[in-house]
Amino acid sequence: MSKCPCGAAEKYENCCGLFINNEKHAPTAEALMRSRYTAYTKTAIDYLLATTHPAKQDTYDADSMRKWSQEAQWQGLEIIETAAGGENDDVGTVEFVARYAEAGEDREHHEIAEFKKLDGRWYFFNGEPPPRPTTFVRSEPKIGRNAPCPCGSGKKYKKCCGR
């Protein structure tokens, strides 16, 4: 028995193995996310299909998922944030980073995953990369501390309007 790849302290058989082996259904969106990560580490492609929302299964490419699953050396899962997705919710999101190496190069898969409950069971619905931070763009050039003050006083900016 080994520790579960999802990062939980439990052994695989008592954690994600229960879901992947179809002994139980994941009770929360985060539990499903963790079990789907573990399914990639175990190349449990059928489980990935079974836990994809039926409305999205037509986008499922088993061959490419199997290839990625087998070629990657899975290094760990980090859950960044979970919103809703509890046992009494119908929708939820989980932001996560899955770390892996591929062709000897360390990589990260950072995603905000959307989960929906259908007939009392959680399904992966969609995943999007997190929004990129916006870059602040100045409309005028930056004034340095030792530059002449733009007010025309003749003083340095730091001794005049820059106080």
Side-chain angles (χ1 to χ4, degrees):
M1 289 192 186
S2 60
K3 185 178 170 190
C4 192
C6 79
E10 298 286 325
K11 294 181 179 178
Y12 168 76
E13 293 78 9
N14 299 327
C15 190
C16 294
L18 294 173
F19 310 134
I20 293 171
N21 296 327
N22 212 21
E23 296 172 37
K24 285 176 65 175
H25 296 300
T28 65
E30 183 178 334
L32 182 60
M33 175 63 244
R34 290 179 176 280
S35 69
R36 285 177 59 86
Y37 170 82
T38 300
Y40 274 105
T41 70
K42 303 283 187 182
T43 314
I45 305 305
D46 291 340
Y47 178 76
L48 293 168
L49 173 61
T51 57
T52 299
H53 195 279
K56 298 290 187 166
Q57 287 182 0
D58 60 334
T59 62
Y60 181 81
D61 182 357
D63 292 334
S64 67
M65 292 172 82
R66 182 174 287 105
K67 184 176 188 234
W68 185 39
S69 173
Q70 292 171 336
E71 290 179 0
Q73 291 82 48
W74 300 97
Q75 299 169 334
L77 175 68
E78 176 186 359
I79 302 295
I80 296 172
E81 183 178 12
T82 300
E87 292 185 38
N88 297 321
D89 295 319
D90 290 327
V91 295
T93 59
V94 179
E95 182 177 357
F96 70 94
V97 177
R99 292 182 175 78
Y100 63 100
E102 194 170 41
E105 187 175 324
D106 287 344
R107 298 180 186 248
E108 289 185 348
H109 178 80
H110 188 176
E111 182 176 293
I112 298 175
E114 181 183 3
F115 295 87
K116 292 187 177 185
K117 200 183 272 186
L118 181 65
D119 297 328
R121 191 170 165 191
W122 283 105
Y123 291 92
F124 168 74
F125 188 76
N126 193 28
E128 297 288 333
R132 293 182 179 257
T134 57
T135 303
F136 176 76
V137 179
R138 297 179 190 278
S139 58
E140 299 175 8
K142 183 177 178 181
I143 302 168
R145 292 173 24 105
N146 291 317
C149 191
C151 76
S153 68
K155 295 180 181 179
K156 288 183 177 183
Y157 178 69
K158 69 181 177 185
K159 296 284 186 176
C160 189
C161 295
R163 285 185 180 196

